[in-house]
């Protein structure tokens, strides 16, 4: 992809703080981190979103995520690392790995709600209907 910022990072046209690289993927520090050590893992081949990414590559990426979570946790001495896949900012599939502390004061990513009467059953049926 010509105008994809992540493809340019992969090609070395834009610098990054690279933490890991192999034939399938690249991991580098997010330029606007939520916390120190906030890392992005991206496939080297351009896939717009998670749903566009081949299963075999997703499996490989998730194994890298598991390793990177442990490494980042040790490196920044945080309490845990959260994953986030949003997919609406840069149109090149990427996984955020965000170091967190139990008392870091960061908000949760979203607020919650309660289901209205019968809503949970309807949504459950709808999802199951499409799955079949
Ligand atoms: Zn790209």
């Amino acid at each position: 992809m010509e105008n994809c910022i992540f493809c340019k990072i992969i090609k070395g046209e834009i610098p990054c703080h690279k933490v890991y690289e192999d034939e399938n993927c690249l991991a580098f520090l997010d330029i606007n981190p939520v916390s120190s050590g906030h890392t992005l893992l991206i496939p080297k081949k351009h896939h717009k979103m998670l749903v566009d990414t081949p299963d075999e590559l997703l499996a490989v990426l998730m194994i890298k995520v598991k390793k990177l979570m442990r490494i980042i946790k040790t490196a920044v001495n945080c309490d845990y690392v959260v994953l986030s896949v949003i997919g609406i900012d840069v149109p090149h599939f990427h996984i955020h790995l965000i170091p967190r502390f139990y008392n870091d004061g960061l908000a949760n990513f979203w607020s919650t709600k309660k289901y209205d009467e019968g809503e949970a059953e309807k949504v459950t049926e709808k999802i199951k209907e499409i799955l079949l």
Side-chain angles (χ1 to χ4, degrees):
M1 282 287 289
E2 248 173 54
N3 292 320
C4 173
I5 190 167
F6 288 171
C7 284
K8 287 181 179 179
I9 288 172
I10 290 163
K11 286 187 222 157
E13 295 171 8
I14 295 175
C16 71
H17 293 283
K18 189 187 300 180
V19 298
Y20 177 79
E21 181 176 22
D22 65 24
E23 69 276 16
N24 295 308
C25 61
L26 177 69
F28 54 96
L29 296 184
D30 193 306
I31 197 166
N32 297 308
V34 171
S35 61
S36 185
H38 178 170
T39 300
L40 300 178
L41 177 66
I42 63 174
K44 283 192 169 173
K45 194 164 178 213
H46 184 94
H47 299 287
K48 191 174 176 195
M49 301 181 88
L50 185 149
V51 295
D52 306 312
T53 306
D55 291 352
E56 299 75 23
L57 182 54
L58 284 175
V60 166
L61 291 172
M62 287 313 289
I63 292 166
K64 298 299 175 196
V65 161
K66 183 179 171 183
K67 283 186 179 170
L68 283 168
M69 287 177 88
R70 287 184 181 145
I71 292 165
I72 292 167
K73 184 176 183 290
T74 302
V76 301
N77 199 26
C78 64
D79 294 320
Y80 59 105
V81 175
V82 295
L83 301 182
S84 178
V85 176
I86 303 165
I88 57 169
D89 42 3
V90 176
H92 181 131
F93 172 52
H94 56 285
I95 302 168
H96 294 261
L97 295 102
I98 305 170
R100 295 287 309 266
F101 294 89
Y102 295 124
N103 62 352
D104 60 17
L106 292 171
N108 288 325
F109 289 98
W110 46 77
S111 58
T112 60
K113 63 170 239 148
K114 298 286 180 214
Y115 279 109
D116 293 333
E117 180 74 30
E119 183 185 359
E121 292 77 9
K122 280 184 193 166
V123 172
T124 301
E125 284 310 309
K126 191 84 180 172
I127 292 170
K128 287 165 72 177
E129 199 180 287
I130 295 167
L131 274 173
L132 298 175

